[in-house]
Amino acid sequence: VIREKTGLKHLIGKDGRVTGAALSDGSVIDLDFAVVGIGVAPNDQLAKEAGLEVANGIVVDEFARTSDPAIFAAGDCAALPWQGGRIRLESVQNAVDQAEAAAAVIAGGNEPYAPKPWFWSDQYDVKLQIAGFNLGYDETLLRPGTREGAHSVWYFREGMLIAVDAINDAKAYVTGKKLLESGTNPDKSILADPSADLKSLLV
Ligand SMILES: Cc1cc2nc3c(=O)[nH]c(=O)nc-3n(C[C@H](O)[C@H](O)[C@H](O)COP(=O)(O)OP(=O)(O)OC[C@H]3O[C@@H](n4cnc5c(N)ncnc54)[C@H](O)[C@@H]3O)c2cc1C
């Protein structure tokens, strides 16, 4: 069971072993053991000591250059320009793409890196595929897939599609990714109609 919007108040223990967890919604669950996932913070110590600008990661421009133009950073540690702000994209795809972009600049190129975020993860029988980045969304649309257990969540900001989460729904993922890459905003009435073919959004 995944409990969303629920935090841990404290663990409960007996005789040096964890036996339960008190949660922020007031509930208490029994535990045999606890796996602790605390999250990820960039280790910017080396960059700081080198005098580079850091702000939740090593600050880079669209060419993966740090505040010292002779030093480049790419991947999880790099805080890159994104829609007027700055983000770190923690995914294999970004680590590879941004490193390639940085290498091209080091080799004399002048192509800015424009990330097209996508992500996947397999969790037991659930394949999660994400296209785009749902930061700042103000509207969502839930669309059932054609196969049992498949569905997708479409995220919009000010009416524009910004991301798609697809659960066991490769068709929704592929369609969403193509729409985002081409900058095409889908017709919401088609999306909201489970019997409508997603392909029709791509023409
Ligand atoms: C549990 C887990 C599951 C994940 N699942 C997915 C997934 O399903 N899909 C996905 O796309 N991404 C996933 N990720 C994220 C993905 O692993 C990272 O985004 C990716 O590895 C980032 O690559 P990177 O090269 O930027 O950094 P890293 O892979 O972290 O490599 C950094 C390297 O630098 C080394 N290093 C650090 N400091 C120094 C130093 N001072 N000197 C020398 N070496 C140093 C480190 O030892 C490390 O080897 C997952 C991450 C975790 C932790």
Side-chain angles (χ1 to χ4, degrees):
V1 176
I2 294 175
R3 301 188 186 207
E4 293 181 317
K5 296 183 181 155
T6 308
L8 174 71
K9 262 167 68 186
H10 57 85
L11 292 172
I12 301 163
K14 197 178 170 203
D15 301 331
R17 284 188 65 88
V18 66
T19 57
L23 304 181
S24 59
D25 61 2
S27 62
V28 174
I29 50 174
D30 293 334
L31 296 183
D32 295 320
F33 61 91
V35 178
V36 181
I38 295 180
V40 180
N43 182 345
D44 54 18
Q45 190 188 345
L46 184 66
K48 247 189 216 156
E49 284 171 11
L52 301 181
E53 187 185 347
V54 295
N56 182 31
I58 304 168
V59 171
V60 295
D61 65 12
E62 62 272 44
F63 301 100
R65 265 197 194 98
T66 68
S67 54
D68 179 333
I71 302 177
F72 291 73
D76 280 17
C77 68
L80 61 135
W82 175 259
Q83 296 178 352
R86 227 164 250 295
I87 50 163
R88 286 186 309 105
L89 288 171
E90 293 167 278
S91 73
V92 170
Q93 195 56 42
N94 177 67
V96 171
D97 291 349
Q98 197 184 15
E100 283 179 0
V105 174
I106 292 166
N110 195 28
E111 193 67 38
Y113 175 53
K116 296 187 173 64
W118 66 269
F119 189 85
W120 64 268
S121 193
D122 287 335
Q123 306 289 332
Y124 301 94
D125 57 347
V126 172
K127 179 177 276 299
L128 170 67
Q129 293 169 295
I130 300 175
F133 199 62
N134 69 10
L135 189 73
Y137 68 88
D138 52 26
E139 187 187 350
T140 59
L141 198 152
L142 181 67
R143 181 185 162 90
T146 45
R147 288 187 320 160
E148 200 189 324
H151 63 273
S152 51
V153 183
W154 299 69
Y155 296 86
F156 294 84
R157 188 175 57 219
E158 293 172 7
M160 296 297 291
L161 179 69
I162 56 169
V164 182
D165 289 353
I167 312 289
N168 293 335
D169 195 340
K171 197 169 189 179
Y173 166 70
V174 171
T175 307
K177 192 163 184 283
K178 282 185 181 163
L179 289 168
L180 288 163
E181 285 178 0
S182 65
T184 312
N185 213 29
D187 182 332
K188 282 189 206 154
S189 63
I190 295 177
L191 269 184
D193 175 2
S195 66
D197 189 349
L198 282 176
K199 262 194 215 151
S200 63
L201 294 170
L202 295 173
V203 288

